[in-house]
Amino acid sequence: MSKKITQEMIDKDRRGFIDKFLKGSIAGSMFVVVPMGAGDAFHELAGEKENELMKMKPNANYAFIVDITACIGCGNCCVADKKENNVPDGQYRTWVERYIIDMADNVYVDSPNGGLDGFNEPPKETILETIKDAFFVPKLCNHCHAAPCTQVCPVGATFTTPDGFVIVDGTHCVGCGYCIQACPYGVRFLNKNTHTADKCTWCYHRVRKGKMPACVNACPTGARKFGDLNDPNTEVAKIVNSPEILTVLKKELGTSPAVYYIGKREEVI
């Protein structure tokens, strides 16, 4: 079965879950449930006193930009993320997909080992002589401003921090998997070591110390960029305010992703 077909099936399943949830057939009362301990979870996760949190920019608007035209599929970003966040083998907080288009406009998508080892030969279904185009697309949590994952969590374990990061507090997570199903981007997973929901955090622990996410530091071509859109001196702010065309994944869903793409193609799913 091709990745494209599999992705369509996954998207259909997620849409069905979200549709049932909104209609009230799955835990219909959750929208009126007040997340338990979300505020406390933030402070516990940060491990800091409230007065120390004021060191963060009060009006920051963090964003991530992925330049598809610059990505070479080296996998350095995935390796850096795995080491920084102790991601279990076979699971990925971020990964890189390879898109191959043949002369008949058939699209082949693969991501061997999440891109950790880079890319070698193309999928066996393709014939080198018939390849018309190929490119790489990094994927990661979009830290949506209207995140559906935070709405379905019954215990408030997944929430948005005061500075806009969508975070999972493993000490509160019960591993129900609701947030995993609710995410339309397929970026969440049940960590097989902790048995709790996991995903990319944009290296929140690093950003709070004034550092860049590990994957951004590891990218040799500058394909990954991160910063505060409200600070005109950051690279991301300069790009957003430039004539550069930026797009997001699945804009029609209304989740308001905070990950923007340069050079996104219509073939990207």
Side-chain angles (χ1 to χ4, degrees):
M1 182 179 291
S2 69
K3 166 98 178 242
K4 185 174 183 180
I5 294 176
T6 302
Q7 186 65 45
E8 290 174 354
M9 294 175 65
I10 292 173
D11 287 344
K12 182 179 179 181
D13 181 63
R14 290 198 179 94
R15 286 196 298 271
F17 175 88
I18 294 171
D19 183 58
K20 289 179 181 178
F21 180 84
L22 293 177
K23 290 179 179 178
S25 59
I26 296 179
S29 64
M30 278 190 188
F31 270 120
V32 297
V33 173
V34 178
M36 297 295 292
D40 291 338
F42 170 71
H43 297 300
E44 290 173 11
L45 185 67
E48 298 177 351
K49 297 179 181 179
E50 188 169 357
N51 62 345
E52 293 176 320
L53 297 178
M54 298 305 292
K55 295 178 182 178
M56 293 293 291
K57 294 180 180 179
N59 300 311
N61 180 18
Y62 291 103
F64 204 109
I65 294 178
V66 176
D67 187 351
I68 293 176
T69 66
C71 181
I72 58 176
C74 65
N76 284 3
C77 53
C78 304
V79 173
D81 176 70
K82 183 177 179 64
K83 292 181 178 179
E84 180 71 28
N85 296 292
N86 195 30
V87 183
D89 290 341
Q91 296 185 309
Y92 314 96
R93 282 186 165 205
T94 186
W95 68 96
V96 179
E97 297 174 349
R98 173 175 56 181
Y99 285 69
I100 297 177
I101 305 171
D102 65 18
M103 299 305 291
D105 289 328
N106 294 310
V107 181
Y108 302 88
V109 185
D110 70 344
S111 182
N113 197 23
L116 275 166
D117 307 316
F119 295 82
N120 295 311
E121 294 297 324
K124 60 183 179 181
E125 305 98 306
T126 62
I127 302 174
L128 287 174
E129 289 74 12
T130 67
I131 293 177
K132 180 169 66 175
D133 197 6
F135 55 92
F136 300 99
V137 182
K139 295 285 187 70
L140 65 159
C141 176
N142 286 267
H143 289 263
C144 305
H145 295 296
C149 57
T150 63
Q151 299 178 38
V152 302
C153 181
V155 295
T158 184
F159 60 97
T160 302
T161 69
D163 41 334
F165 291 69
V166 178
I167 298 295
V168 179
D169 180 4
T171 65
H172 286 69
C173 178
V174 295
C176 66
Y178 280 3
C179 65
I180 296 172
Q181 284 295 316
C183 175
Y185 302 100
V187 300
R188 286 173 171 258
F189 59 93
L190 195 66
N191 188 301
K192 58 187 179 183
N193 291 339
T194 64
H195 306 293
T196 56
D198 202 349
K199 69 172 193 69
C200 163
T201 62
W202 283 354
C203 286
Y204 186 56
H205 60 290
R206 292 176 56 87
V207 176
R208 286 181 58 79
K209 296 177 181 178
K211 300 179 181 180
M212 283 287 180
C215 65
V216 174
N217 278 348
C219 182
T221 62
R224 291 176 178 243
K225 308 175 190 299
F226 177 83
D228 178 12
L229 292 180
N230 289 341
D231 183 347
N233 295 315
T234 63
E235 184 178 13
V236 293
K238 292 177 180 178
I239 292 174
V240 168
N241 293 320
S242 74
E244 187 74 63
I245 297 176
L246 298 175
T247 55
V248 297
L249 297 178
K250 302 182 181 181
K251 181 179 180 180
E252 68 278 5
L253 296 181
T255 58
S256 297
V259 173
Y260 301 88
Y261 284 84
I262 296 174
K264 177 180 173 295
R265 305 274 292 273
E266 62 179 5
E267 296 89 357
V268 177
I269 55 178

